Amino acid sequence: MIWIALTLAVTAVQDGPVAYVEASPTSLELYAGPPVRPYEPSWDTPGAEGDAWMITRRALEAPALLESYDGTYEVTPTDAEVVYQQGVTSAALRANSIMGPLDGRWRVTASDGAPVLELLMMDRGDGALVEGAWREPTAPNAALTSRRLGALSLVVRSGDTLTIEVADPDGAARLSLQREGVHWRGTLERDGSTTPVVMAPFS
């Protein structure tokens, strides 16, 4: 999906028009509602005892620091606000719990521990195609342009075997990996050379 590539490119400096690429295969699928719907409160539910329409805020006695603001420090949240936040958190946790094992951020490193690639994948865990994006973590910010990041052109998992193809304007790259616990170990074929690598989750 488009948001995955945009997430990785948020710090990128664009150096010109981005080359056109084919639409993701999953973008051609017919829409289906999410297995876990976002939290949808019933607004006709009466408010809990103690809720009020008008909230009186005390006058500030000192400047409020931006990094200290979390939306609730000025006044105690109402019962309705607490219930709403709990509902949002619960829906997010349930949605994450059904995602597939490849969902999330991954770092590919060489045998000496040097970072090679960073991947962000979306695995819905329902047999649908896995899609995602890549970037080179060692490239300086000025080089994080359309040529140093892009979409994953193919992600195929068969049991404990994983193949990932990277759409790189400088030349296609392929990860061939075998599962080892929570890690994946194998090789990266790129620019005519083969490099031993390890892919591990990171946050």
Side-chain angles (χ1 to χ4, degrees), residues 38-172:
Y39 176 63
E40 298 170 330
S42 175
W43 297 111
D44 59 355
T45 300
E49 182 179 357
D51 286 355
W53 290 104
M54 299 298 294
I55 299 177
T56 302
R57 303 180 185 273
R58 63 178 178 79
L60 291 177
E61 300 175 353
L65 300 179
L66 182 60
E67 56 268 23
S68 300
Y69 183 71
D70 63 6
T72 59
Y73 82 100
E74 293 179 335
V75 295
T76 301
T78 65
D79 291 345
E81 290 174 332
V82 171
V83 170
Y84 180 84
Q85 187 58 50
Q86 290 175 342
V88 171
T89 301
S90 176
L93 291 174
R94 286 187 288 119
N96 287 337
S97 68
I98 65 174
M99 299 299 279
L102 294 177
D103 191 70
R105 300 176 63 193
W106 298 82
R107 172 168 288 167
V108 179
T109 58
S111 56
D112 61 356
V116 178
L117 290 173
E118 289 181 359
L119 309 179
L120 177 62
M121 291 186 280
M122 184 182 72
D123 181 1
R124 290 181 288 178
D126 56 2
L129 293 174
V130 177
E131 57 184 340
W134 65 273
R135 74 173 179 182
E136 290 187 346
T138 57
N141 288 340
L144 285 179
T145 64
S146 59
R147 295 181 64 81
R148 299 275 50 87
L149 52 84
L152 301 179
S153 56
L154 181 67
V155 180
V156 177
R157 182 184 180 188
S158 177
D160 291 337
T161 301
L162 177 64
T163 301
I164 300 175
E165 293 184 359
V166 173
D168 188 343
D170 294 334

Side-chain angles (χ1 to χ4, degrees), residues 5-27:
L6 291 178
T7 301
L8 286 180
V10 68
T11 59
V13 178
Q14 292 296 331
D15 60 347
V18 177
Y20 172 80
V21 295
E22 290 188 23
S24 166
T26 54
S27 67

Side-chain angles (χ1 to χ4, degrees), residues 32 64 106 132 151 179 188 198:
W106 298 82
R179 184 173 182 176
L188 170 64
V198 176

